[in-house]
Amino acid sequence: SRGVYDATEKIVPCRAKFTENIWHLLCAGLPALRYERIFPVSERGGVFDFGRIYSCYLHARIVSHSEGGSLVFECFEKEGYFCTRREKVLLKRGTFEYDGAALCSARYVRILAPEGTSVSPALDFCRYPAEETGFFECSDGQLNEIYEACRHASAICRQGCHLDSPFHQEALG
């Protein structure tokens, strides 16, 4: 009979299931990622503010009147701090859509574009959906804001596994 040895050297029945094909994969049971397009709430001097930090992919509608130049997107979690993601886009004449190549963490996006180039940026907020089974609300406005900040932090750090931040991307646990 098939079995494995335990620590006492006794044979224990093996409960492993055999399969004819090791590549017969099963669904992981994770829901599909949810994407939500977020637009800036303000713009000042080429820096677009999206109101809060998001785990996201860059998106932009670009109108260029020249061929062969480039523009640069720089993402920041806090204004004036280090850049969390930098993407360079080669321009072609006309109107086109750009979708970023990698997940980033951003609240602010600075755009360095040549004269005559129009850029309308957005962020594609990426997260696993979470069913909200309850809520919190009290008469203390500051506690309500803390709760909302914690709920948002949980959403931006949920990317298939729980992360310590959407920028650093180190799994917890």
Side-chain angles (χ1 to χ4, degrees):
S1 89
R2 295 177 191 256
V4 294
Y5 288 95
D6 68 5
T8 63
E9 298 294 322
K10 292 182 186 173
I11 196 162
V12 178
C14 181
R15 292 188 179 13
K17 293 184 181 178
F18 292 92
T19 181
E20 294 176 22
N21 179 353
I22 64 169
W23 300 112
H24 179 70
L25 304 176
L26 300 176
C27 176
L30 294 173
L33 285 169
R34 180 179 295 160
Y35 294 88
E36 178 184 350
R37 182 137 307 150
I38 308 295
F39 296 97
V41 295
S42 67
E43 185 266 334
R44 189 178 71 239
V47 177
F48 294 83
D49 182 358
F50 289 85
R52 64 188 336 173
I53 296 172
Y54 290 97
S55 51
C56 57
Y57 292 88
L58 287 169
H59 175 82
R61 180 178 170 82
I62 302 168
V63 179
S64 175
H65 300 291
S66 62
E67 186 86 28
S70 65
L71 67 83
V72 174
F73 293 101
E74 294 179 335
C75 299
F76 301 86
E77 289 180 341
K78 285 183 82 176
E79 198 170 13
Y81 283 77
F82 69 94
C83 178
T84 59
R85 178 92 187 140
R86 189 171 207 267
E87 294 188 23
K88 185 175 185 177
V89 179
L90 298 178
L91 296 174
K92 58 185 177 183
R93 187 182 311 276
T95 301
F96 63 99
E97 303 280 322
Y98 172 75
D99 289 304
L103 183 69
C104 67
S105 177
R107 173 179 174 165
Y108 300 97
V109 175
R110 179 177 21 208
I111 300 173
L112 308 168
E115 189 79 28
T117 302
S118 170
V119 184
S120 301
L123 301 178
D124 287 337
F125 177 29
C126 171
R127 65 184 174 90
Y128 274 93
E131 182 181 339
E132 293 190 28
T133 57
F135 66 94
F136 174 84
E137 186 174 349
C138 74
S139 60
D140 185 335
Q142 190 172 21
L143 284 178
N144 292 332
E145 288 177 22
I146 291 169
Y147 170 77
E148 184 58 33
C150 291
R151 195 174 69 76
H152 182 71
S154 175
I156 65 175
C157 291
R158 196 178 308 118
Q159 301 294 326
C161 60
H162 293 283
L163 305 172
D164 62 349
S165 99
F167 169 64
H168 191 243
Q169 300 181 14
E170 192 171 290
L172 296 175

